[in-house]
Amino acid sequence: NAGVTQTPKFQVLKTGQSMTLQCAQDMNHEYMSWYRQDPGMGLRLIHYSVGAGITDQGEVPNGYNVSRSTTEDFPLRLLSAAPSQTSVYFCASSYGGAGVHNEQFFGPGTRLTVL
Amino acid sequence: GQSLEQPSEVTAVEGAIVQINCTYQTSGFYGLSWYQQHDGGAPTFLSYNALDGLEETGRFSSFLSRSDSYGYLLLQELQMKDSASYFCAVRDTGGFKTIFGAGTRLFVKA
C-alpha cells in the first residue's frame, strides 16, 4: 500500500494563479481532510469529507475548494492564490466510523510558496 | 467552537521523563489524540483516549480527564530521537472533524 500520496511536493505560484493539490489514498478510508500548517500555528483544518460526494468546511476554508468524486481522491483547489496561502499543506485520511479511534494517516505534504 | 492549549516548548534530558499537557475547550467531545512530527516530516499518530484514564504504548502513555477537559502525553526514557513537535487533537462530537493544538516542541539534550 502506498498510503496517502500528495503531489506536487513543492510548488511556487504567482499571486492570482490557480492550481490543484492532489491527494490520493489506497486504504479505502471514508474520511479525508486537508490541513495547512504555518510556523507556530499547528495544523488548521481547511476542508474535510466523510465519503464520496460529501464535503464540508473546516476552520479556514476561504480561498479553497474541494470535491470528492471517488473514495480514493480528494483534490484541493486554490482559486486565486494569495501570499497568505504560503504554507505546508497536508492531506490525511482515516477509517472513521462510530467507536473507531479515527487514527489519521498523513501524506508527505506539499510546500507551497505564493509570490 | 473548539480550542486546545499546550505549552509551546519543553526541554528535557536524555533518559528523563517528560509530560506534555493539553487542555481543551470544545462544543462536543469524541476523543483526544496525540501526534508526533519531526522537522520536515508528516504528523504520525501516537495514541488516543476516548475514556478517562491512562493508555500505555511502550515508552509513551497518554492520560485523559474529561471532567477537567485535560489530558497529557508522558514520554519515558527519553531518547534524542524523541526531539520533535507533539500535537494534541480533539475529535468533535460527530467524529467528523479533528482539530489540532498549536503543538509543543520537545528538545531532548544529552
Side-chain angles (χ1 to χ4, degrees):
Chain A
N1 284 355
V4 181
T5 58
Q6 291 183 238
T7 56
K9 286 188 169 50
F10 301 92
Q11 183 70 50
V12 178
L13 292 177
K14 294 181 180 178
T15 296
Q17 286 184 314
S18 62
M19 80 159 295
T20 300
L21 308 185
Q22 301 292 343
C23 174
Q25 53 92 8
D26 61 359
M27 297 173 281
N28 202 31
H29 284 167
E30 296 176 37
Y31 292 5
M32 296 187 75
S33 303
W34 275 103
Y35 295 88
R36 60 176 290 174
Q37 185 172 36
D38 303 299
M41 298 191 71
L43 294 145
R44 290 186 291 170
L45 183 64
I46 304 172
H47 285 285
Y48 65 99
S49 168
V50 300
I54 307 170
T55 64
D56 205 347
Q57 297 180 347
E59 302 170 277
V60 288
N62 292 343
Y64 307 93
N65 272 358
V66 291
S67 59
R68 184 96 178 270
S69 56
T70 67
T71 300
E72 294 77 20
D73 300 298
F74 191 42
L76 177 72
R77 281 184 291 277
L78 280 71
L79 309 173
S80 177
S84 61
Q85 293 178 304
T86 294
S87 188
V88 180
Y89 291 84
F90 288 102
C91 177
S93 75
S94 59
Y95 173 67
V100 178
H101 69 63
N102 200 36
E103 172 185 351
Q104 292 201 77
F105 295 83
F106 284 81
T110 293
R111 284 147 183 80
L112 176 68
T113 301
V114 183
L115 303 175
Chain B
Q2 293 163 302
S3 66
L4 299 94
E5 288 191 17
Q6 48 181 131
S8 58
E9 282 186 14
V10 173
T11 300
V13 177
E14 198 174 13
I17 299 172
V18 71
Q19 179 174 312
I20 299 173
N21 298 321
C22 175
T23 57
Y24 58 89
Q25 206 169 12
T26 61
S27 54
F29 180 80
Y30 203 73
L32 183 71
S33 300
W34 289 91
Y35 287 79
Q36 179 191 59
Q37 184 182 32
H38 287 99
D39 285 347
T44 56
F45 174 82
L46 288 177
S47 68
Y48 174 76
N49 296 73
L51 303 175
D52 291 355
L54 192 68
E55 294 282 342
E56 298 181 72
T57 308
R59 294 188 297 115
F60 294 178
S61 303
S62 58
F63 172 82
L64 174 65
S65 169
R66 289 176 297 171
S67 60
D68 296 323
S69 298
Y70 164 76
Y72 66 73
L73 179 69
L74 193 73
L75 295 84
Q76 302 181 75
E77 302 173 14
L78 279 174
Q79 302 175 9
M80 298 299 289
K81 67 178 181 179
D82 297 329
S83 292
S85 293
Y86 293 85
F87 297 89
C88 58
V90 170
R91 289 178 71 187
D92 69 357
T93 304
F96 302 137
K97 294 194 297 186
T98 299
I99 304 298
F100 283 76
T104 299
R105 185 69 185 246
L106 171 63
F107 297 95
V108 180
K109 301 190 300 184

